[in-house]
Amino acid sequence: AQKITQTQPGMFVQEKEAVTLDCTYDTSDQSYGLFWYKQPSSGEMIFLIYQGSYDEQNATEGRYSLNFQKARKSANLVISASQLGDSAMYFCAMREPSGYSTLTFGKGTMLLVSP
Amino acid sequence: EAGVAQSPRYKIIEKRQSVAFWCNPISGHATLYWYQQILGQGPKLLIQFQNNGVVDDSQLPKDRFSAERLKGVDSTLKIQPAKLEDSAVYLCASSRVVGNEQFFGPGTRLTVL
């Protein structure tokens, strides 16, 4: 079974609108971390936001917020006021405490922002 | 602070040839990771170093892939011999300690013909 599922291969949004990118995860651990990364066409993975499983508040970083619903095992990324530069691949990843705290990535969602 | 450096950025080789990639992590970062990202997929961890020791290489195809981290700083990933299915982007990342936020380099795009 996949540990990280991103069901949206592609998303389209108009500039200045908000968009939600979906991510569900599967783990039996109580302590874990969830990450979102952005990968523009240049190829570099850029860290956006982090949510710990015990964090009571949803994480926010500027225009990025994470809608964390623990019972549903979902960690959706919300981008407010989309900009043209937000066009990129977005990856959800999970870090589990077992093993060596490695990251497991989903398959990604391609976001295209139109003027 | 300088980011993670990787070279080369692009490499094209024929199958059965050898290739090596280089990574220089962020200064002071003890943990270094090599990922393989096949087109249309998320990155998959190949190997993780803590200083100059390997802590996880469970997904590294050891019959053809090898990696080392010299003096706990720079790292080299080698493929010998390459197969068509090795065509991918190879990403290097580093973190201050295990479990912390990982910072990624620009990657090396390998094409095996």
Side-chain angles (χ1 to χ4, degrees), chain A:
Chain A
Q2 288 188 17
K3 290 197 172 184
I4 296 287
T5 302
Q6 294 181 253
T7 57
Q8 306 154 314
M11 289 286 286
F12 294 91
V13 67
Q14 275 203 312
E15 205 176 0
K16 299 179 186 176
E17 291 186 346
V19 62
T20 297
L21 306 184
D22 295 342
C23 172
T24 58
Y25 57 92
D26 182 26
T27 182
S28 56
D29 290 310
Q30 295 301 309
S31 175
Y32 51 88
L34 297 157
F35 298 77
W36 277 92
Y37 281 86
K38 171 184 177 181
Q39 188 176 42
S41 57
S42 58
E44 187 172 346
M45 300 282 283
I46 301 167
F47 167 75
L48 295 178
I49 197 166
Y50 166 78
Q51 178 85 42
S53 59
Y54 291 119
D55 294 342
E56 294 186 353
Q57 302 282 341
N58 284 345
T60 60
E61 289 286 348
R63 295 187 298 112
Y64 304 108
S65 60
L66 201 151
N67 184 0
F68 181 46
Q69 299 188 42
K70 197 170 182 177
R72 293 186 178 184
K73 293 188 176 178
S74 75
N76 298 337
L77 177 70
V78 180
I79 305 175
S80 63
S82 297
Q83 300 173 356
L84 296 178
D86 293 335
S87 293
M89 282 291 289
Y90 288 80
F91 290 94
C92 180
M94 178 171 62
R95 182 189 69 216
E96 296 173 283
S98 57
Y100 302 102
S101 294
T102 55
L103 288 181
T104 302
F105 286 84
K107 291 189 174 183
T109 296
M110 170 65 81
L111 175 66
L112 290 177
V113 181
S114 60

Side-chain angles (χ1 to χ4, degrees), chain B residues 78-94:
Chain B
K78 295 179 181 177
I79 307 175
Q80 181 180 357
K83 292 186 175 181
L84 296 177
E85 58 262 35
D86 298 332
S87 293
V89 175
Y90 291 84
L91 293 162
C92 180
S94 69

Side-chain angles (χ1 to χ4, degrees), chain B residues 62-79:
Chain B
K62 298 180 186 64
D63 57 334
R64 297 182 301 105
F65 285 65
S66 64
E68 61 179 1
R69 189 175 183 193
L70 306 172
K71 299 179 182 177
V73 181
D74 292 7
S75 178
T76 303
L77 177 70
K78 295 179 181 177
I79 307 175

Side-chain angles (χ1 to χ4, degrees), chain B residues 13-16 64 82-88 110-113:
Chain B
I13 61 172
E14 295 191 347
K15 60 183 179 182
R16 291 189 289 273
R64 297 182 301 105
K83 292 186 175 181
L84 296 177
E85 58 262 35
D86 298 332
S87 293
L110 174 68
T111 302
V112 182
L113 302 176

